[in-house]
Amino acid sequence: MTTDRDEPVSRSRRAFLAGGGLMVSFALFGSLRVSAGQENTLGATILNPKLPGDLKIEPMLDAWIRIDASGVTVCSGKVELGTGVRTALWQVAADQLALPLERFRFVTADTALTPDEGYTAGSHTMADGGTAIFHAAAQVRAMLVDAAARKLAVPPERLVLENGVIKAPDGRQLTYEDAAAGLDLHRMATETSPPSDPSAYRYIGKSVPRVDILAKVTGGAAYVQDMRPDGMLHARVVRPPNHGATLVSADVDAVSRMPGVVRVVHDGDYLAVVARGEWQAVLAMRALQASARWRQTETFPDNATIHDVLKTLPRLDYVTTRQGVDGEVHQAAPVANAAPAAASTGARVERVEATKQYVLHGSIGPSCALAVWRDGILTVWTHSQGVFPLRAGIAGLLGLPKEQVRCVHVEGSGCYGHNGADDVAADAALLAHRMPGAPIRVQWMRDQEAGWEPLGPAMETSLEVATDADGALTAWRHALWSTPHNERITNPGRLLPAWLVSQSIAPSPPSPIPQPEGDADRNAVPLYRVPDVRVDMHFVTQMPFRTSAMRSLGAHINVVTIEAMMDRLAAAHGKDPVAYRLAQLDDPRAKAVIQRAAEAFGWTANPALPPNRGVGFAFARYKNLMGYCAIALEVEVDPDRRAVRVDRVVTAVDCGQIVNPDGLTNQIEGGIVQSSSWTLYEQVRIGAVGVESVDWQSYPILRFPQVPARIDVHMIDQPGMPFLGAAEIAQGPTAAALVSAVAQATGRRLLRLPLVPHLWP
Amino acid sequence: MIELTVNGATHRVDVDPATPLLYVLRNELALNGAKFGCGMGQCGACTVLVDDRPVFSCLYPVSSTAGRRVRTVEGFGTPEKPGPLQQAFIDRQAVQCGYCIAGMIVRAQALLERVAHPTEQQIREHMNPNLCRCGTHMRILDAIRAVAATGELHRAGEKGPAS
């Protein structure tokens, strides 16, 4: 649509701005500073590292805000994944533009229209995307006021902004559209913005109702699944039974003759059917699947052996250190086999080991996408987390220039990380490209999503910590084994269909997200005061199962490990766990959430609890960079019914300036419930034929009767402070507090997740 | 041709009688409320009411609706005038991604029409078949409790089917 107008400008200015910035990948390690030309952790290129938030990636103001005779349009490259960010970003723009919400359009993630902000992931949306809009809008507002001042011949400070109108003292006024006439917003953002007064915000800090909910509760079109363009055909894919299996034969001819079938695609190990009716497509898929014969080429470990197997596979070792209590975190370049860390020494040394199994993102709606190849443009509607990286991947897969592919985000079912969204978009693109003119809708089935989504990795951790006689931490040695947590689209081979077609493309070699964000080692560097820290990430590069990003990455098990250690050390030194944590922290905001949660919970050092009951406490600051979260909870176990009931959960969080308090509460509640489900119940069954969890029977998750009785969320607002990511902050602390409470209730400190199947095998 | 009555309106559709009701609702009738989740009756995203009883429309053959009343979330209210449960979900912002929510509302409707003031345990057990992955359960329960407290839907149920 507007590709013609926007893209050449965008390309040339990016080329100009990126000029001179050398792409040196090993520069990521060693120094943690960002520089121009370097890619950030979300797959976008930094052009100006001095600018706030994602203005670093897209410094031009008109990429974010456009004003013409038709009105004001604000653009974001971030997407709504069900977390409410669309509304929150809109609120930020409204306050900083001094414009009512309903007075401007808000466009998200469309490769033809919006800035490239990489992936919507890692709790970066408010921190980076929100910050970019916050500053871009303030700078554009100031430009509008200056333009109006010139037009009205009034000093800018005498103008008043009210409901999208700029008013002079004498009653003359200009709309934003009038003021913007002749004003060129194609200007580089500046490092600082005109200040705004947090006490004057009309939207920021208010629980503005989400803009997407009305349609979702009344049956409105809300998801990519709800799109029905004229002439749409329904496609289904047939997947191999496991990774590496090759197709021996399939009865394409018989399936081609089935009612409604328009096309059967067979290309190497890739099979798909396209039909007029959706049910016809399902029946054809089943017939094709039943006729297909496959040859298994790989063997797979099982749940009992996976952690031992991880230690035998090819790997790269990444060593991260922090020397001195205020020392910088330093990550060394990877080596094939790092020399083992020296044992900790101190008055007392404790050791904790933990494991987790593979987990599923488990979106309720399996992945879906729609694509059409028409007039030389392949348009893909997708619930991808990153429309720009997806565009590059699809273009590479089909041998098209990027300019001929447009990816448009439309919501899908919540993803919680890298699920099948990108792969099904590639399916739709691949099929649409072979059938010009017809919109092709591909809907994965439940077993396909479960069997082929990248899994959350199985992991093992081992932590050894030394303390002095008073309990002060003196040395910290954390080792962990994991496959990658970030197999995003860095080449077309990262898209599943690319492996299956006859002209297959292999995925690019895995590479972890570096510290301080971290990958499997996310949150492995403790926030606690300790002068000598070493983290050994044994990054397994040959995956028995495909794995990638799932909400909080390694932080889930690392926080479990760290907090179990803090409990153990507190007990060893005869201290209350909460008091002990407070004594090992310097960050006042960390202490504040801990104190608030403990107080609201009514935490006492040695509670008199009935049998089978336990309390647990845990804390983490997500990535040591984002929101702070402390959680206290109480559980009751029922050995006869083999059940753990979460009674009450109290949490305190600090996510900087809060944009939408109700949205934040919703995210925290959701994180607590989801992490409870992971920690208590969830594991992908693996065995001889690969992934054996194919539905909700073979992959049970938490249900209504198991939901906590009560969750209280306490928020510490920080007006005027930066936005800090919130969506993943509860995952680690919830799990750690549960482990602790279950240990107290059962008398067994179990660090094998999920807890329930391990408690009562 | 198969005749079916959905939200009070009668439709004639030309489909294989074995087609699951879900596909007819979504494609032939262009109703978005019922969602494809698993196709196996394990998640509840596709829940609709057939003669006041919640069913998994992903498994329910369209031919079995003959002589029965089908209700979907679209039948409970409109964006302009949401029904009691829809309004309670809006008031409590009981949505994250929202993909499961129409199914949640439909299943809860069945309970509240039948039982005036269900207990907490009754609500949780009744909602057991429906899965939510975002962890919106606290708010979903809260919204259902709020409507249960009014008894509103039960009275409507007694007056007879409103469709």
Side-chain angles (χ1 to χ4, degrees):
Chain A
M1 286 207 294
T2 57
T3 311
D4 299 344
R5 220 195 74 213
D6 296 347
E7 291 293 306
V9 176
S10 171
R11 271 200 315 281
S12 60
R13 74 178 172 239
R14 290 180 72 82
F16 166 72
L17 290 161
L22 281 173
M23 288 288 288
V24 184
S25 61
F26 61 76
L28 286 176
F29 300 98
S31 167
L32 299 172
R33 283 169 303 160
V34 290
S35 55
Q38 185 180 305
E39 208 168 83
N40 72 4
T41 57
L42 302 178
T45 305
I46 290 168
L47 299 182
N48 184 343
K50 291 180 179 165
L51 293 176
D54 278 345
L55 291 171
K56 289 179 186 65
I57 300 164
E58 178 47 85
M60 305 309 287
L61 291 175
D62 65 338
W64 301 90
I65 296 166
R66 288 168 207 150
I67 307 175
D68 58 25
S70 73
V72 179
T73 304
V74 177
C75 298
S76 167
K78 296 295 187 184
V79 304
E80 179 61 80
L81 301 172
T83 62
V85 294
R86 182 173 167 77
T87 305
L89 293 168
W90 203 325
Q91 289 175 244
V92 170
D95 264 329
Q96 292 294 79
L97 283 170
L99 201 55
L101 286 172
E102 63 281 4
R103 290 288 305 279
F104 62 98
R105 289 181 294 269
F106 189 72
V107 179
T108 55
D110 177 336
T111 57
L113 298 175
T114 67
D116 173 4
E117 297 190 74
Y119 289 97
T120 299
S123 296
H124 279 272
T125 300
M126 294 314 296
D128 296 351
T131 298
I133 288 177
F134 184 87
H135 287 275
Q139 293 178 23
V140 166
R141 182 190 66 210
M143 287 168 69
L144 286 170
V145 170
D146 284 344
R150 285 193 300 276
K151 289 181 180 179
L152 296 169
V154 173
E157 60 276 11
R158 309 228 12 224
L159 296 173
V160 175
L161 279 66
E162 216 175 272
N163 285 334
V165 173
I166 304 169
K167 294 181 174 171
D170 60 8
R172 286 179 304 152
Q173 56 184 48
L174 289 175
T175 64
Y176 280 20
E177 293 79 6
D178 296 336
L183 180 65
D184 185 8
L185 295 182
H186 187 59
R187 237 193 253 188
M188 179 94 75
T190 52
E191 287 173 35
T192 56
S193 302
S196 54
D197 175 7
S199 68
Y201 292 143
R202 178 173 166 192
Y203 298 105
I204 295 174
K206 308 290 192 303
S207 292
V208 172
R210 267 170 54 178
V211 295
D212 53 331
I213 286 184
L214 187 58
K216 289 176 174 177
V217 301
T218 56
Y223 305 94
V224 72
Q225 285 89 342
D226 302 334
M227 294 178 68
R228 297 179 196 90
D230 287 343
M232 182 175 82
L233 298 174
H234 291 275
R236 289 291 187 282
V237 293
V238 171
R239 291 288 189 238
N242 51 43
H243 290 260
T246 55
L247 184 64
V248 177
S249 64
D251 196 346
V252 170
D253 290 344
V255 175
S256 301
R257 291 191 296 271
M258 289 179 69
V261 173
V262 179
R263 184 92 167 248
V264 178
V265 174
H266 171 202
D267 177 359
D269 298 320
Y270 190 88
L271 288 173
V273 296
V274 183
R276 298 202 186 285
E278 187 167 15
W279 182 240
Q280 291 169 328
V282 172
L283 294 179
M285 173 200 75
R286 288 181 183 169
L288 190 61
Q289 189 161 357
S291 80
R293 298 287 170 268
W294 303 88
R295 182 183 303 115
Q296 184 169 332
T297 62
E298 290 182 18
T299 55
F300 300 93
D302 60 24
N303 292 93
T305 57
I306 181 61
H307 299 104
D308 293 334
V309 169
L310 282 179
K311 292 180 177 173
T312 66
L313 293 170
R315 66 184 207 227
L316 288 171
D317 290 338
Y318 290 76
V319 178
T320 298
T321 51
R322 189 181 69 194
Q323 290 299 320
V325 287
D326 297 320
E328 277 194 18
V329 174
H330 183 277
Q331 186 169 35
V335 293
N337 278 296
S344 300
T345 52
R348 186 172 188 121
V349 177
E350 293 285 341
R351 190 181 171 87
V352 161
E353 290 174 347
T355 60
K356 69 177 275 260
Q357 295 279 340
Y358 291 103
V359 280
L360 289 182
H361 298 79
S363 298
I364 296 298
S367 294
C368 180
L370 193 77
V372 64
W373 171 234
R374 188 180 281 159
D375 303 330
I377 299 286
L378 181 75
T379 307
V380 184
W381 291 272
T382 168
H383 53 91
S384 170
Q385 289 178 274
V387 291
F388 286 89
L390 176 63
R391 175 180 67 165
I394 286 174
L397 174 63
L398 300 177
L400 293 171
K402 273 197 290 190
E403 292 67 29
Q404 279 182 270
V405 180
R406 177 182 181 185
C407 293
V408 183
H409 181 263
V410 184
E411 275 188 75
S413 185
C415 65
Y416 329 105
H418 185 180
N419 69 348
D422 295 324
D423 297 329
V424 78
D427 281 321
L430 198 143
L431 296 171
H433 191 234
R434 288 167 187 239
M435 301 178 72
I440 307 289
R441 177 186 189 268
V442 186
Q443 168 72 68
W444 279 11
M445 306 304 281
R446 173 91 259 137
D447 61 315
Q448 294 171 340
E449 184 79 25
W452 289 92
E453 65 158 87
L455 308 176
M459 284 179 66
E460 178 163 331
T461 62
S462 171
L463 174 61
E464 201 175 83
V465 175
T467 50
D468 68 14
D470 298 327
L473 307 165
T474 55
W476 189 280
R477 301 282 177 265
H478 188 133
L480 54 97
W481 289 262
S482 177
T483 53
H485 287 252
N486 191 44
E487 289 285 289
R488 303 277 193 180
I489 315 165
T490 50
N491 83 327
R494 291 282 181 91
L495 293 166
L496 165 61
W499 313 348
L500 302 174
V501 291
S502 50
Q503 291 202 305
S504 63
I505 306 171
S508 48
S511 170
I513 300 173
Q515 287 287 345
E517 299 258 332
D519 194 273
D521 56 349
R522 180 162 292 181
N523 270 88
V525 174
L527 200 66
Y528 297 109
R529 187 192 321 107
V530 48
D532 173 14
V533 174
R534 171 168 163 161
V535 174
D536 286 66
M537 173 169 63
H538 304 295
F539 183 77
V540 177
T541 51
Q542 183 185 307
M543 290 183 276
F545 297 95
R546 181 194 190 198
T547 60
S548 191
M550 184 160 156
R551 201 176 188 183
S552 83
L553 311 192
H556 179 236
I557 194 73
N558 289 328
V559 173
V560 164
T561 310
I562 291 173
E563 293 297 280
M565 174 60 78
M566 295 305 281
D567 278 355
R568 182 171 296 187
L569 292 172
H573 291 281
K575 307 265 172 65
D576 168 66
V578 170
Y580 183 70
R581 283 170 173 81
L582 287 169
Q584 315 309 323
L585 283 164
D586 295 316
D587 184 336
R589 290 169 74 173
K591 291 184 182 183
V593 293
I594 289 175
Q595 282 161 336
R596 181 76 172 270
E599 194 180 290
F601 184 80
W603 185 268
T604 51
N606 293 299
L609 292 168
N612 292 323
R613 289 186 83 88
V615 294
F617 194 96
F619 159 79
R621 180 183 189 192
Y622 188 48
K623 300 192 254 190
N624 297 343
L625 297 166
M626 293 291 184
Y628 299 80
C629 178
I631 292 182
L633 54 77
E634 183 168 355
V635 303
E636 183 172 26
V637 298
D638 184 341
D640 296 335
R641 299 167 77 179
R642 303 181 160 205
V644 174
R645 196 175 65 85
V646 183
D647 191 23
R648 63 187 179 117
V649 185
V650 174
T651 180
V653 299
D654 173 351
C655 296
Q657 166 97 53
I658 298 170
V659 175
N660 189 316
D662 185 68
L664 175 57
T665 308
N666 204 353
Q667 279 306 291
I668 301 303
E669 289 173 359
I672 289 168
V673 172
Q674 190 182 65
S675 180
S676 301
S677 183
W678 297 352
T679 307
L680 292 172
Y681 309 112
E682 294 185 28
Q683 58 181 331
V684 176
R685 289 189 205 162
I686 51 174
V689 298
V691 173
E692 295 177 353
S693 289
V694 292
D695 58 12
W696 298 116
Q697 304 270 327
S698 46
Y699 189 81
I701 64 171
L702 168 145
R703 290 173 177 272
F704 275 100
Q706 299 157 326
V707 168
R710 186 170 169 179
I711 298 176
D712 293 327
V713 179
H714 299 267
M715 290 171 281
I716 299 177
D717 194 14
Q718 304 282 4
M721 297 288 278
F723 309 131
L724 299 177
E728 302 167 275
I729 66 174
Q731 307 310 109
T734 299
L738 271 172
V739 163
S740 179
V742 168
Q744 194 172 48
T746 61
R748 296 164 59 195
R749 183 166 285 279
L750 191 68
L751 286 153
R752 306 236 167 263
L753 307 188
L755 294 175
V756 169
H758 284 101
L759 274 171
W760 301 288
Chain B
M1 280 293 193
I2 288 179
E3 195 172 281
L4 73 164
T5 305
V6 179
N7 300 330
T10 301
H11 305 266
R12 290 168 64 82
V13 293
D14 184 13
V15 296
D16 174 356
T19 306
L21 175 59
L22 173 69
Y23 294 102
V24 176
L25 293 173
R26 291 193 58 82
N27 297 316
E28 272 68 24
L29 306 186
L31 293 170
N32 299 314
K35 301 290 193 295
F36 174 75
C38 66
M40 294 178 280
Q42 294 180 355
C43 77
C46 67
T47 306
V48 302
L49 300 182
V50 175
D51 282 353
D52 307 331
R53 199 166 51 87
V55 303
F56 299 118
S57 68
C58 71
L59 294 179
Y60 197 90
V62 64
S63 55
S64 299
T65 64
R68 301 178 198 270
R69 257 169 358 110
V70 177
R71 284 186 293 160
T72 71
V73 80
E74 286 90 344
F76 297 168
T78 62
E80 296 73 35
K81 197 167 182 295
L85 273 166
Q86 290 168 325
Q87 189 62 53
F89 274 68
I90 295 166
D91 292 344
R92 283 155 192 78
Q93 299 281 289
V95 173
Q96 287 187 59
C97 84
Y99 197 85
C100 70
I101 292 298
M104 295 285 181
I105 292 175
V106 171
R107 184 168 300 280
Q109 178 92 9
L111 174 68
L112 300 187
E113 286 181 356
R114 190 165 48 81
V115 183
H117 301 290
T119 63
E120 177 72 14
Q121 197 188 345
Q122 272 179 305
I123 294 174
R124 287 179 177 231
E125 279 171 11
H126 176 84
M127 297 304 292
N128 188 51
N130 284 40
L131 297 178
C132 167
R133 186 54 166 161
C134 296
T136 318
H137 305 73
M138 309 306 291
R139 289 170 180 233
I140 295 169
L141 290 170
D142 199 29
I144 298 170
R145 276 183 219 119
V147 181
T150 68
E152 196 176 350
L153 289 173
H154 186 242
R155 290 193 296 275
E158 282 172 343
K159 271 187 285 184
S163 51

